[in-house]
Amino acid sequence: MSNDNASPNSAANPAAKLWGGRFSEATDAFVERFTASVMFDQRMAQEDIRGSLAHAQMLSEVGVLTEGEYRQIADGLQAIAAEIEAGEFPWSVELEDVHMNIEARLTDRIGATGKKLHTGRSRNDQVATDIRLWLRGRIDQIAAELTRLQSGLVELAEREADTIMPGFTHLQSAQPVTFGHHLLAWNEMLGRDYERLMDCRKRVNRSPLGAAALAGTSYPINRARTAELLGFDAPTENSLDSVSDRDFAIEFCAFAALLLTHLSRASEELVLWTSSQFDFIDLPDRFCTGSSIMPQKKNPDVPELVRGKTGRVNGHLVSLLTLMKSQPLAYNKDNQEDKEPLFDAADTALDCLRAFADMAPALEAKKENMYAAAAKGFSTATDLADYLVRKGVAFRDAHEIVGQSVSFAIEQEKDLAELGLAQLQQFSDQIGEDVFDVLTLEGSVAARDHIGGTAPAQVRAACARAKKLIAGR
């Protein structure tokens, strides 16, 4: 990386480091690279500048900086922000991290006044503030993509409210459901993920700025003011905790792991449903790839990759939990390892949501195939049992009667609905002509007409409620 604006003697002269006054020998070159974080924490540069602008404004308001000094600092920081945005900033590994790079560049631009910016703060509270600002921004982006995905799913569910498909337990055909009902199950999972994300945001949105190294500062700072300027709900309450804990990052990664787990489950179903063995749906070509050797292949790469990325996000959660498990208060260098897992977890979650939000509304149901699959596997057996119970038969007896009927149907190589009335009546004299009303797939799904049920009317009602909930965010 370029070092045009770092001191040319910084490696040879430890005092050239912004913290080097106490040291008598230079940092080993390998150690310098090993301990540097600028390679990855520079992505927080704009947040670092935002935090510095708020800190400088507060220092001027309480009289630690003059108005002229504040204006110099603010103008210099804004010019640096423009350099970074344009890709023209000279990042230096010797300056260790994003904070020292920006502070050194500020001093290069405006002289000694730049050295006053760090009054009343430490890199410890500075980095904690930057991470929270950065993560809050990503949370808001992820929330928007979650909302977009949910909106697309609900629209699709409404269109497919009458489409009958098999519902599964143990991946065995269990009872008929509607495709719309199944899609709404995905939406419910994502709805809880959204709630978790918003709850996490509340704990992210606290300002540690002003906690300094660990004990606060003797300068007359106004932490409530910097919190206000940065859009935080309030300052954090304890300076030791403010700089040392990363539970908000762990909580976010826990959210991300659950989100990816839900997306992975949906991905697994998409992979199954697009296979020739199921052939329930069609994915547009733009979400698939072909084989280098088998010209007939259409591979569902997007859901497969989302399914695969779940492992890396789960790993980031474990990484952060392990990172924090034995750290004494307050700040430790271990915490430099918090950023890469957090950054990648947020990036991965956002990318997977974008892929799903684009893909989900484009799913095309192969309705005839779904219907034919639902007609197999005796999926209306429970309806026959319920029918007998309504006729006065005890449920356990009804269960046995239906089991015998299914065994007989298997021998006849027929579905229950294909058996004649006389054949059914040999198992119970309570069975009448009206039994065929409940043995149809349409009758089965229509009978589940209650909140949370698969009846088309309930699916449409649930879609209306979901749309209202999403619109109210």
Side-chain angles (χ1 to χ4, degrees):
M1 294 184 183
S2 172
N3 192 28
D4 295 344
N5 290 277
S7 167
N9 299 315
S10 60
N13 176 16
K17 298 282 190 182
L18 297 186
W19 44 260
R22 176 251 185 269
F23 288 77
S24 59
E25 63 177 350
T27 306
D28 179 86
F30 166 74
V31 172
E32 189 166 67
R33 293 194 306 274
F34 183 70
T35 58
S37 61
V38 69
M39 300 80 70
F40 50 84
D41 68 12
Q42 63 180 261
R43 71 184 300 175
M44 299 190 301
Q46 298 298 343
E47 287 80 12
D48 192 75
I49 289 171
R50 284 182 61 195
S52 291
L53 285 168
H55 183 66
Q57 181 174 338
M58 178 275 296
L59 290 179
S60 73
E61 290 174 356
V62 299
V64 173
L65 293 177
T66 66
E67 178 63 23
E69 289 171 332
Y70 164 61
R71 284 268 42 104
Q72 268 190 291
I73 289 171
D75 291 345
L77 287 172
Q78 287 162 356
I80 291 170
E83 282 185 340
I84 294 169
E85 188 69 26
E88 298 170 354
F89 188 86
W91 296 106
S92 167
V93 171
E94 289 183 14
L95 290 170
E96 300 179 47
D97 56 35
V98 62
H99 325 293
M100 302 299 266
N101 269 266
I102 290 173
E103 185 177 337
R105 181 63 173 155
L106 179 67
T107 302
D108 286 343
R109 291 186 69 95
I110 69 172
T113 302
K115 297 180 180 181
K116 296 186 177 183
L117 173 61
H118 209 52
T119 305
R121 73 175 184 184
S122 160
R123 275 192 295 180
N124 294 355
D125 62 332
Q126 191 176 358
V127 66
T129 302
D130 290 359
I131 294 172
R132 286 173 182 265
L133 287 172
W134 182 90
L135 182 54
R136 186 181 70 190
R138 292 305 180 275
I139 285 173
D140 291 344
Q141 288 180 311
I142 289 168
E145 287 300 309
L146 249 176
T147 296
R148 188 165 72 92
L149 171 55
Q150 288 188 263
S151 297
L153 280 175
V154 172
E155 290 289 344
L156 181 60
E158 193 169 39
R159 293 198 301 271
E160 303 293 346
D162 295 294
T163 302
I164 292 176
M165 66 177 292
F168 299 93
T169 61
H170 308 278
L171 206 57
Q172 305 294 313
S173 182
Q175 292 178 279
V177 297
T178 58
F179 187 37
H181 189 59
H182 196 113
L183 293 169
L184 288 180
W186 293 357
N187 181 63
E188 286 298 305
M189 298 178 195
L190 297 172
R192 293 191 296 275
D193 290 330
Y194 184 89
E195 291 173 2
R196 273 185 282 269
L197 181 63
M198 291 298 97
D199 202 45
C200 173
R201 192 186 191 281
K202 296 175 185 176
R203 282 174 286 282
V204 170
N205 206 35
R206 297 286 188 275
S207 174
L209 191 56
L214 76 161
T217 178
S218 60
Y219 292 96
I221 62 171
N222 185 344
R223 293 190 62 213
R225 178 61 173 149
T226 50
E228 177 189 13
L229 289 170
L230 293 171
F232 287 114
D233 292 333
T236 51
E237 288 287 338
N238 182 279
S239 59
L240 285 167
D241 176 65
S242 299
V243 299
S244 64
D245 211 334
R246 296 294 186 267
D247 57 358
F248 63 91
I250 294 171
E251 185 177 0
F252 173 82
C253 286
F255 149 79
L258 277 168
L259 170 69
L260 265 291
T261 296
H262 287 151
L263 293 180
S264 181
R265 294 183 71 189
S267 294
E268 173 71 6
E269 292 185 320
L270 292 177
V271 171
L272 288 172
W273 292 348
T274 55
S275 69
S276 59
Q277 288 75 19
F278 280 79
D279 201 22
F280 283 0
I281 64 167
D282 186 52
L283 277 179
D285 289 352
R286 63 186 179 275
F287 300 108
C288 303
T289 64
S291 166
S292 64
I293 190 172
M294 295 170 284
Q296 83 281 10
K297 294 292 293 298
K298 180 178 175 180
N299 300 322
D301 278 15
V302 168
E304 285 179 348
L305 195 54
V306 170
R307 185 177 60 184
K309 287 181 180 293
T310 304
R312 71 192 285 165
V313 173
N314 289 349
H316 294 325
L317 172 58
V318 173
S319 176
L320 289 183
L321 284 167
T322 307
L323 174 70
M324 295 304 303
K325 75 175 184 63
S326 57
Q327 284 196 42
L329 295 174
Y331 182 83
N332 300 279
K333 188 67 169 178
D334 311 46
N335 281 350
Q336 183 169 296
E337 291 295 302
D338 64 353
K339 295 168 194 65
E340 289 174 289
L342 177 62
F343 292 164
D344 190 70
D347 290 346
T348 303
L350 185 59
D351 287 348
C352 290
L353 280 170
R354 282 175 173 166
F356 248 83
D358 289 342
M359 180 177 61
L363 298 178
E364 295 180 12
K366 297 186 176 182
K367 300 183 182 184
E368 292 182 1
N369 293 351
M370 286 183 170
Y371 190 92
K376 299 175 182 177
F378 308 100
S379 63
T380 59
T382 304
D383 296 275
L384 179 55
D386 292 342
Y387 167 87
L388 289 168
V389 169
R390 289 194 295 271
K391 295 284 187 175
V393 180
F395 179 78
R396 284 301 168 199
D397 293 334
H399 190 283
E400 183 175 357
I401 291 167
V402 175
Q404 293 169 349
S405 303
V406 169
S407 294
F408 177 77
I410 291 172
E411 292 174 3
Q412 300 298 308
E413 297 183 352
K414 294 181 177 180
D415 191 68
L416 286 174
E418 296 172 324
L419 295 177
L421 179 59
Q423 290 175 310
L424 289 168
Q425 286 178 333
Q426 66 181 306
F427 302 105
S428 173
D429 58 9
Q430 296 297 315
I431 296 176
E433 284 282 0
D434 57 345
V435 72
F436 296 104
D437 294 335
V438 303
L439 291 181
T440 65
L441 298 178
E442 291 81 2
S444 177
V445 296
R448 272 73 183 169
D449 192 14
H450 54 74
I451 290 179
T454 191
Q458 290 296 334
V459 171
R460 292 188 177 91
C463 287
R465 292 193 297 272
K467 286 182 178 181
K468 184 177 181 180
L469 186 65
I470 292 169
R473 289 176 179 173

